[in-house]
């Protein structure tokens, strides 16, 4: 396990104070913040990709075609 040292600034100190207010250690708070940051980054990437797909005319046309074909296969 790597040991990382970093220099905090005012905003980082305030963030650490908030994240450790529940009694969490600084190390636990930083570890969780890193995991949360990656999760948020991935969600934002998925959101951007879904918006791109939703606004892609070719993708929309293909989706409409598939829905039409599936509708024709419906039993009732």
């Amino acid at each position: 396990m790597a040991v990382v040292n970093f220099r905090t600034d005012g905003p980082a100190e305030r963030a650490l104070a908030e994240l450790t207010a529940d009694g969490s250690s600084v190390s636990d708070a930083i570890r969780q913040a890193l995991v949360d940051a990656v999760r948020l980054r991935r969600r934002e990437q998925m959101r951007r990709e879904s918006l791109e797909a939703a606004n892609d005319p070719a993708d929309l046309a293909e989706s409409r075609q598939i829905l039409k074909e599936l509708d024709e296969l419906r039993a009732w």
Side-chain angles (χ1 to χ4, degrees):
M1 186 178 299
V3 174
V4 178
N5 293 310
F6 71 99
R7 204 168 282 152
T8 61
D9 56 9
E13 286 288 335
R14 288 188 293 278
L16 277 173
E18 185 173 335
L19 293 172
T20 57
D22 66 354
S24 296
S25 70
V26 171
S27 291
D28 287 341
I30 291 171
R31 278 192 290 272
Q32 187 60 52
L34 289 170
V35 170
D36 292 345
V38 169
R39 185 178 299 122
L40 178 60
R41 179 179 284 183
R42 288 177 181 162
R43 285 182 183 169
E44 286 299 312
Q45 179 65 30
M46 286 187 293
R47 186 186 66 77
R48 281 191 301 275
E49 289 172 0
S50 67
L51 287 173
E52 288 174 12
N55 293 315
D56 182 332
D59 202 37
L60 290 172
E62 183 177 353
S63 295
R64 286 186 189 108
Q65 182 61 36
I66 290 170
L67 286 174
K68 182 180 173 186
E69 291 171 7
L70 290 175
D71 194 45
E72 292 170 0
L73 296 174
R74 206 181 316 192
W76 49 81

